[in-house]
Amino acid sequence: MSEPHVRLVNITKRFGNTVAVDNVTLDVARGSFTTLLGPSGCGKTTTLRMIAGFHDPDAGDIFIGERRVNEVPSHRRNTAMVFQEYALFPHMSVFENVAYGLTIRGLPKPQVAQKVRATLKFLALEGLDDRSPHQLSGGQQQRVALARALVMEPEVLLLDEPLSNLDAKLRVSVRTEMTQIQRSLKLTTIYVTHDQEEALAMSDAIAVMHQGRVVRFGTPWEVYYRPRDRFVADFVGLVNFVEGRLVEVSPQVLVADVAGRSLRFAPEGLALRPGDGVLLSIRPECIGISLAAPTGAANVLHGQVAVSQFLGRLVRYWVAVDASTWVVDEPDPSTYSLLSGEVYLTIEPGKVHVIAAENKDKDEGGR
Amino acid sequence: MKVNPGAMGRATVKIAFLALVLFVIFGPLSSLAIWSVAEKWYWPYALPQQVGLFYWGRVLGSDLMRSLQLGFFIATAVTMLTLLCTVPVGYALARFDVLFKSVIMMLFLLPQAFPQLPVFANAAVLLYKFDLGATIPGVVLIHMVGSLVYAVWIMTAVFKSIPVEMEEAAINLGASRIKTFLTIALPLAVPGIVASSLLVFLYSLDEFTGTLLIGAPFVVTLPVFMYNASMGYELQVASITALLLMIPGMVLLVLLERYLKAEYLSMFGRI
Ligand SMILES: Nc1ncnc2c1ncn2[C@@H]1O[C@H](COP(=O)(O)OP(=O)(O)OP(=O)(O)O)[C@@H](O)[C@H]1O
Ligand SMILES: [Mg+2]
């Protein structure tokens, strides 16, 4: 899964004065499930539509396999797209919808019918052939849209927020289903969503986009635990940001002064020097919380529980330590009524992530 | 039981309003109906002294049927030609960044911006220059001056109401632009096309000013026939013609109402 299948090289797209996509470079591995994740208006759809050929990039190249496709019209690109609103043809039956592309391709009728039936069966849509799209539930419509794309056996599958019109529960089950389908077909898939949980759950790789740029590209784990960017850390889940100044640097451990307390953490192979300012991120579930003072922990903070919320599978605490507030997720829900008042927080050095460092010798604000 | 004076007042207003509406709609119609069967009717009598179907027989046996046929023929030609022009233009205006879009729209609207009579009079001069005066093609052309406007606006709105993603999905599945238009946009626009044809058809059937200016004396459609009849002070004939002229209109409007979706109407003015 290393060979790139779809390659975007320095792609830029403007609409009037808005730069919708700003110099994006991205390699999508063959057979991978790659997600474009970002807030509304960050350019996800525009990027996807350029791959499908609905927009021409103002600058840059798009490759599918070895072929540069900038000049290839969209109906010859062999990219199948599933639209957010599904865009099923309302004047055709389910069967005709799924058969549309194959018929256009000029496949003989029996072959079309056979492929359509196989695909409908694959997606558990048997018996709905003669229904009209408006006679289907949202989930069924979504599957018909997927069937219409999959039956083409496309080189690349493009999905633009295909789950956003489903209710929360269905969304979770369909996303599992879709991941299984994608894995079984080993079909290179580019998926657009603004839902970080969906992105983490489904993807092999995530490209986090912000204001038209890809600000982080990596595996779900990397994007979540090594965001390397304040925006990414904040967008992908809940996070504690800590600003400090390095007081001790060694190959094994870094020590930062954070508001008068020292925080020990792993160097992550970064070239840092004492005196450098650092921005650290720590996920709420990486912090331990207890009533009794822990022994032998590298980092211990003492604070006061300000608010706690019972979220079912976990309890979320807001703990005031000096002037700052820490968010802590405790995976054992039975602690809900037990933990209050004075508590101790413990942070493992390996679970602290350096987002940005600022060299004290330079005046410019580094990242 | 207490009577609420406010509610009473409102009910009175409602009833009065209803009566007014009924009078406005059916007043003239009833007068037409009465006139059509009046064989003798002199002042100061409120109703005809002699009632009968004499004039109906005369009208139905006269040239009127020919006028009706001619009118239908012209209206059909106008409708077909108008569709032929406005379906592609409407599609282009709805879907593409057509150069000078507003100029094109204005061009279509321009004849409507001026009083009809001078526009038609000028057109008449022009058509006579090309030997189209008093011919059926001449009348068809003058009708199209008006019909194109309606049809372009309606067709543009109709095509705009079809989601672009629908066509993009077709293109994405390998369909060319033309194929997409023929298999997706056109079938989905059928209700709108039907509605617009009906409007154009009725417009042509009822068009009077232009028909009189261009068509006289050889091309006599029903409205012109009616005009001629009432010029001869035969109010009975004029009333019967008017009643007959209403029939296709009502029939087609019932059909139209079934086809014209509210969403098309709501699209108007968003072009
Ligand atoms: N056809 C267009 N014309 C003009 N501006 C556009 C067009 N399409 C997108 N934009 C602008 O480009 C930017 C990126 O839009 P895009 O649709 O790619 O965002 P997105 O990430 O898909 O957002 P969302 O999550 O809301 O769908 C936005 O500022 C948008 O307003
Ligand atoms: Mg979008």
Side-chain angles (χ1 to χ4, degrees), chain A residues 10 45 79 95 112 121 149 154 159 192 213 220 222-223 229 233 241 262 273 282 303 305 308 312 318 330 334 340:
Chain A
N10 302 113
T45 298
T79 56
F95 183 92
V112 171
K121 187 172 176 202
L159 304 156
V192 161
R213 294 165 170 276
E222 287 168 334
V223 166
D229 180 278
F241 286 119
S262 50
R273 284 182 295 167
I282 305 157
V305 173
S308 63
W318 280 261
E330 166 56 52
S334 64
S340 63

Side-chain angles (χ1 to χ4, degrees), chain A residues 49 52 54 74-75 79-81 83 87-92 100-101 104 148 152, chain B residues 165-177 179-180 183-185 187-188:
Chain A
R49 290 171 61 86
F54 294 134
S74 50
H75 67 281
T79 56
M81 180 138 169
F83 293 80
L88 296 174
F89 308 133
H91 57 304
M92 297 182 194
Y100 184 86
I104 292 282
R148 190 175 66 178
M152 301 302 288
Chain B
E165 290 81 31
M166 220 81 90
E167 289 177 55
E168 285 175 345
I171 292 173
N172 185 246
L173 291 167
S176 62
R177 269 242 77 109
K179 198 104 193 177
T180 302
T183 57
I184 308 296
L188 288 178

Side-chain angles (χ1 to χ4, degrees), chain A residues 103-124:
Chain A
T103 313
I104 292 282
R105 240 181 223 177
L107 234 64
K109 261 205 171 111
Q111 223 172 315
V112 171
Q114 184 229 321
K115 278 184 187 248
V116 171
R117 301 225 181 282
T119 309
L120 289 178
K121 187 172 176 202
F122 181 59
L123 290 173

Side-chain angles (χ1 to χ4, degrees), chain A residues 223-242:
Chain A
V223 166
Y224 187 75
Y225 284 117
R226 298 285 179 265
R228 290 204 199 134
D229 180 278
R230 189 180 184 120
F231 169 81
V232 177
D234 203 24
F235 187 74
V236 186
L238 211 57
V239 70
N240 294 290
F241 286 119
V242 179

Side-chain angles (χ1 to χ4, degrees), chain B residues 179-198:
Chain B
K179 198 104 193 177
T180 302
F181 175 74
L182 292 177
T183 57
I184 308 296
L186 203 55
L188 288 178
V190 163
I193 292 174
V194 170
S196 135
S197 328
L198 291 182

